[in-house]
Amino acid sequence: AQSVTQLGSHVSVSEGALVLLRCNYSSSVPPYLFWYVQYPNQGLQLLLKYTSAATLVKGINGFEAEFKKSETSFHLTKPSAHMSDAAEYFCAVSEVIGGGADGLTFGKGTHLIIQP
Amino acid sequence: EAGVAQSPRYKIIEKRQSVAFWCNPISGHATLYWYQQILGQGPKLLIQFQNNGVVDDSQLPKDRFSAERLKGVDSTLKIQPAKLEDSAVYLCASSLLGWGINTGELFFGEGSRLTVL
């Protein structure tokens, strides 16, 4: 069974500082990995995804993530935080095994706080 | 392109009452999902449809929850009778590709927030 662990339910950084949100996964087969962002009272929006191509994935709004198989990690980073980045971030994993079901399994989320 | 539409956005009911949520996916999307998001937690998959067939409903509490996707387009999620622990946001999502070849990119609606008193 697949699972996702997000380290830190809340992360606070200063505007302009590096953003690092941690995600570790567990999967019995090579996974697909995703980061979604959720702004207050809105649905989830895809930031980026890893689907077994390049291990360094670039997404929207300046975010990127690196897939590290040896560490079973898929941490999300952004070099310089902006006030508009304040939101809830979810890491998710999907297993596609032949014709099997492929619903995403989400982590519990990390609330990113940007200090002015 | 229109996004995933959900209604109602907010609903308050008393325990043991019933409630229904409606979802209209993006046009042409074969796969539709219902997720439950309890406050402070990540979304949990309740049910996944491929066209009008159920692919996965292993986490759907079938004694009180039901869902259908008639004609492979719109979907309705029903809770009857509701319990206090059903208070959550119910998210509908859709994806373009079908069962087994989905790379997982889901498009989410804004959700329906249920409060059970």
Side-chain angles (χ1 to χ4, degrees):
Chain A
Q2 59 198 25
S3 66
V4 171
T5 302
Q6 291 185 242
L7 299 176
S9 59
H10 291 78
V11 170
S12 179
V13 302
S14 299
E15 190 174 17
L18 171 71
V19 174
L20 171 61
L21 304 183
R22 300 177 186 273
C23 171
N24 289 90
Y25 70 91
S26 173
S27 174
S28 58
V29 298
Y32 291 163
L33 294 160
F34 309 82
W35 277 98
Y36 279 82
V37 61
Q38 185 177 34
Y39 298 101
N41 298 314
Q42 295 186 25
L44 281 71
Q45 178 185 5
L46 181 68
L47 272 179
L48 49 78
K49 63 181 178 182
Y50 166 77
T51 56
S52 73
T55 56
L56 181 62
V57 180
K58 295 187 182 299
I60 61 172
N61 301 337
F63 285 93
E64 63 182 37
E66 185 172 9
F67 171 68
K68 292 187 177 180
K69 184 179 178 180
S70 61
E71 300 177 8
T72 61
S73 70
F74 191 57
H75 301 330
L76 182 70
T77 60
K78 182 174 181 178
S80 178
H82 191 273
M83 295 299 292
S84 61
D85 295 327
E88 193 81 16
Y89 291 80
F90 293 94
C91 183
V93 63
S94 174
E95 292 181 347
V96 181
I97 309 171
D102 51 12
L104 293 178
T105 298
F106 286 87
K108 292 187 175 182
T110 297
H111 186 65
L112 178 62
I113 301 164
I114 309 297
Q115 306 277 9
Chain B
E1 178 181 82
V4 176
Q6 291 189 245
S7 67
R9 288 293 312 277
Y10 305 93
K11 189 74 176 179
I12 300 174
I13 61 173
E14 296 190 350
K15 59 183 179 183
R16 292 187 289 274
Q17 288 187 323
S18 63
V19 63
F21 301 112
W22 173 82
C23 173
N24 185 18
I26 293 174
S27 177
H29 279 197
T31 310
L32 185 147
Y33 311 78
W34 282 102
Y35 280 85
Q36 180 192 56
Q37 186 178 19
I38 294 173
L39 185 65
Q41 299 183 20
K44 182 185 82 171
L45 179 66
L46 291 177
I47 189 167
Q48 176 183 346
F49 292 95
Q50 169 73 11
N51 296 312
N52 61 351
V54 175
V55 171
D56 182 4
D57 64 356
S58 58
Q59 298 191 85
L60 186 74
K62 298 180 185 64
D63 58 333
R64 298 182 300 105
F65 285 65
S66 64
E68 60 182 11
R69 190 184 183 196
L70 299 176
K71 301 180 181 179
V73 182
D74 294 9
S75 178
T76 302
L77 176 70
K78 296 180 181 177
I79 308 173
Q80 181 179 12
K83 292 185 175 181
L84 296 178
E85 59 261 37
D86 297 333
S87 293
V89 176
Y90 291 86
L91 294 165
C92 179
S94 68
S95 62
L96 178 61
L97 299 177
W99 185 55
I101 55 173
N102 194 337
T103 58
E105 181 170 359
L106 274 58
F107 295 83
F108 283 84
E110 294 182 320
S112 295
R113 183 179 297 275
L114 173 65
T115 301
V116 182
L117 303 176

Short mmCIF file of all heavy atoms in Angstrom, two decimals, chain A residues 2 27-32 94-103, chain B residues 48 50 55 97-104:
data_model
loop_
_atom_site.label_atom_id
_atom_site.label_comp_id
_atom_site.label_asym_id
_atom_site.label_seq_id
_atom_site.Cartn_x
_atom_site.Cartn_y
_atom_site.Cartn_z
N GLN A 2 0.40 2.26 -0.66
CA GLN A 2 1.17 3.49 -0.76
C GLN A 2 0.81 4.43 0.38
O GLN A 2 -0.30 4.39 0.91
CB GLN A 2 0.86 4.16 -2.09
CG GLN A 2 -0.61 4.50 -2.27
CD GLN A 2 -0.96 4.75 -3.73
OE1 GLN A 2 -0.30 4.26 -4.64
NE2 GLN A 2 -2.01 5.51 -3.96
N SER A 27 5.98 3.19 -1.33
CA SER A 27 5.26 2.61 -2.46
C SER A 27 5.89 1.27 -2.82
O SER A 27 7.11 1.14 -2.79
CB SER A 27 5.30 3.55 -3.66
OG SER A 27 4.72 2.95 -4.79
N SER A 28 5.08 0.31 -3.18
CA SER A 28 5.59 -1.01 -3.52
C SER A 28 6.10 -1.09 -4.95
O SER A 28 6.78 -2.03 -5.32
CB SER A 28 4.49 -2.06 -3.31
OG SER A 28 3.36 -1.74 -4.09
N VAL A 29 5.78 -0.11 -5.74
CA VAL A 29 6.23 -0.05 -7.13
C VAL A 29 6.69 1.38 -7.40
O VAL A 29 6.41 2.28 -6.62
CB VAL A 29 5.11 -0.43 -8.11
CG1 VAL A 29 4.65 -1.85 -7.87
CG2 VAL A 29 3.94 0.55 -8.00
N PRO A 30 7.43 1.59 -8.49
CA PRO A 30 7.83 2.97 -8.80
C PRO A 30 6.61 3.88 -8.83
O PRO A 30 5.63 3.59 -9.51
CB PRO A 30 8.47 2.84 -10.18
CG PRO A 30 9.01 1.46 -10.19
CD PRO A 30 8.03 0.63 -9.42
N PRO A 31 6.67 4.97 -8.08
CA PRO A 31 5.47 5.80 -7.93
C PRO A 31 5.44 6.97 -8.91
O PRO A 31 6.44 7.33 -9.51
CB PRO A 31 5.65 6.34 -6.52
CG PRO A 31 7.14 6.54 -6.42
CD PRO A 31 7.76 5.41 -7.22
N TYR A 32 4.24 7.53 -9.01
CA TYR A 32 4.11 8.88 -9.53
C TYR A 32 3.90 9.78 -8.32
O TYR A 32 3.17 9.43 -7.39
CB TYR A 32 2.91 8.99 -10.46
CG TYR A 32 3.04 8.24 -11.77
CD1 TYR A 32 1.92 7.96 -12.55
CD2 TYR A 32 4.27 7.82 -12.24
CE1 TYR A 32 2.02 7.28 -13.75
CE2 TYR A 32 4.39 7.12 -13.44
CZ TYR A 32 3.26 6.85 -14.19
OH TYR A 32 3.36 6.17 -15.37
N SER A 94 0.76 8.19 -6.38
CA SER A 94 -0.15 7.36 -7.15
C SER A 94 0.62 6.16 -7.68
O SER A 94 1.76 6.30 -8.11
CB SER A 94 -0.73 8.15 -8.32
OG SER A 94 -1.52 7.34 -9.16
N GLU A 95 0.00 5.00 -7.60
CA GLU A 95 0.61 3.81 -8.17
C GLU A 95 -0.22 3.36 -9.36
O GLU A 95 -1.44 3.24 -9.25
CB GLU A 95 0.66 2.68 -7.13
CG GLU A 95 1.61 2.93 -5.99
CD GLU A 95 1.63 1.79 -5.00
OE1 GLU A 95 0.74 0.93 -5.09
OE2 GLU A 95 2.52 1.76 -4.14
N VAL A 96 0.45 3.15 -10.47
CA VAL A 96 -0.25 2.63 -11.64
C VAL A 96 0.35 1.27 -11.94
O VAL A 96 1.49 1.16 -12.36
CB VAL A 96 -0.09 3.56 -12.85
CG1 VAL A 96 -0.84 3.01 -14.04
CG2 VAL A 96 -0.58 4.95 -12.51
N ILE A 97 -0.41 0.24 -11.66
CA ILE A 97 0.08 -1.12 -11.83
C ILE A 97 -0.79 -1.79 -12.88
O ILE A 97 -1.92 -2.19 -12.60
CB ILE A 97 -0.02 -1.90 -10.51
CG1 ILE A 97 0.64 -1.10 -9.38
CG2 ILE A 97 0.63 -3.27 -10.64
CD1 ILE A 97 0.40 -1.69 -8.02
N GLY A 98 -0.29 -1.88 -14.08
CA GLY A 98 -1.09 -2.48 -15.14
C GLY A 98 -2.39 -1.71 -15.29
O GLY A 98 -2.37 -0.52 -15.51
N GLY A 99 -3.49 -2.37 -15.10
CA GLY A 99 -4.77 -1.69 -15.24
C GLY A 99 -5.39 -1.34 -13.91
O GLY A 99 -6.59 -1.10 -13.81
N GLY A 100 -4.54 -1.23 -12.87
CA GLY A 100 -5.09 -1.00 -11.53
C GLY A 100 -5.60 0.40 -11.29
O GLY A 100 -5.31 1.32 -12.04
N ALA A 101 -6.35 0.56 -10.24
CA ALA A 101 -6.90 1.85 -9.85
C ALA A 101 -5.77 2.81 -9.50
O ALA A 101 -4.70 2.40 -9.07
CB ALA A 101 -7.83 1.68 -8.65
N ASP A 102 -5.99 4.07 -9.70
CA ASP A 102 -4.91 5.04 -9.60
C ASP A 102 -5.28 6.30 -8.86
O ASP A 102 -4.75 7.36 -9.13
CB ASP A 102 -4.42 5.41 -11.00
CG ASP A 102 -5.58 5.82 -11.92
OD1 ASP A 102 -6.70 6.03 -11.41
OD2 ASP A 102 -5.35 5.91 -13.12
N GLY A 103 -6.18 6.20 -7.91
CA GLY A 103 -6.52 7.37 -7.11
C GLY A 103 -5.33 7.82 -6.29
O GLY A 103 -4.51 7.01 -5.87
N GLN B 48 -14.04 6.32 -6.86
CA GLN B 48 -13.52 6.69 -8.17
C GLN B 48 -14.38 6.03 -9.24
O GLN B 48 -14.64 4.82 -9.19
CB GLN B 48 -12.07 6.23 -8.32
CG GLN B 48 -11.46 6.48 -9.69
CD GLN B 48 -10.04 5.96 -9.81
OE1 GLN B 48 -9.39 5.63 -8.82
NE2 GLN B 48 -9.54 5.88 -11.04
N GLN B 50 -14.94 5.44 -13.46
CA GLN B 50 -14.42 5.50 -14.83
C GLN B 50 -15.66 5.46 -15.72
O GLN B 50 -16.35 4.45 -15.78
CB GLN B 50 -13.49 4.32 -15.11
CG GLN B 50 -13.12 4.14 -16.56
CD GLN B 50 -12.14 5.19 -17.04
OE1 GLN B 50 -11.59 5.94 -16.24
NE2 GLN B 50 -11.92 5.26 -18.33
N VAL B 55 -14.62 2.21 -10.11
CA VAL B 55 -13.30 1.60 -10.14
C VAL B 55 -12.84 1.22 -8.74
O VAL B 55 -12.26 0.16 -8.53
CB VAL B 55 -12.29 2.56 -10.80
CG1 VAL B 55 -10.87 2.04 -10.65
CG2 VAL B 55 -12.64 2.79 -12.25
N LEU B 97 -7.54 11.27 -18.64
CA LEU B 97 -7.24 9.94 -19.10
C LEU B 97 -7.94 8.91 -18.25
O LEU B 97 -8.40 9.18 -17.16
CB LEU B 97 -5.73 9.72 -19.07
CG LEU B 97 -4.94 10.66 -19.97
CD1 LEU B 97 -3.47 10.41 -19.83
CD2 LEU B 97 -5.39 10.53 -21.40
N GLY B 98 -7.98 7.72 -18.73
CA GLY B 98 -8.80 6.71 -18.06
C GLY B 98 -8.04 5.83 -17.12
O GLY B 98 -6.87 6.00 -16.85
N TRP B 99 -8.73 4.88 -16.63
CA TRP B 99 -8.27 3.88 -15.66
C TRP B 99 -7.04 3.16 -16.18
O TRP B 99 -7.02 2.65 -17.28
CB TRP B 99 -9.41 2.89 -15.45
CG TRP B 99 -9.20 1.85 -14.42
CD1 TRP B 99 -8.87 2.04 -13.11
CD2 TRP B 99 -9.37 0.46 -14.61
NE1 TRP B 99 -8.83 0.84 -12.47
CE2 TRP B 99 -9.13 -0.16 -13.35
CE3 TRP B 99 -9.69 -0.34 -15.70
CZ2 TRP B 99 -9.21 -1.52 -13.17
CZ3 TRP B 99 -9.77 -1.70 -15.52
CH2 TRP B 99 -9.53 -2.27 -14.27
N GLY B 100 -6.00 3.19 -15.36
CA GLY B 100 -4.81 2.43 -15.70
C GLY B 100 -3.76 3.21 -16.47
O GLY B 100 -2.61 2.82 -16.49
N ILE B 101 -4.11 4.29 -17.09
CA ILE B 101 -3.10 5.04 -17.83
C ILE B 101 -3.09 6.49 -17.38
O ILE B 101 -2.58 7.37 -18.04
CB ILE B 101 -3.36 5.00 -19.36
CG1 ILE B 101 -4.78 5.48 -19.69
CG2 ILE B 101 -3.13 3.61 -19.88
CD1 ILE B 101 -5.03 5.61 -21.18
N ASN B 102 -3.63 6.70 -16.21
CA ASN B 102 -3.74 8.06 -15.68
C ASN B 102 -2.42 8.46 -15.03
O ASN B 102 -1.92 7.76 -14.18
CB ASN B 102 -4.86 8.09 -14.65
CG ASN B 102 -5.27 9.49 -14.29
OD1 ASN B 102 -4.52 10.44 -14.46
ND2 ASN B 102 -6.46 9.63 -13.80
N THR B 103 -1.87 9.57 -15.42
CA THR B 103 -0.67 10.06 -14.76
C THR B 103 -1.00 10.85 -13.51
O THR B 103 -0.13 11.47 -12.94
CB THR B 103 0.17 10.93 -15.71
OG1 THR B 103 -0.64 12.02 -16.16
CG2 THR B 103 0.64 10.12 -16.88
N GLY B 104 -2.24 10.87 -13.15
CA GLY B 104 -2.60 11.37 -11.83
C GLY B 104 -2.94 12.83 -11.73
O GLY B 104 -3.22 13.31 -10.65
#
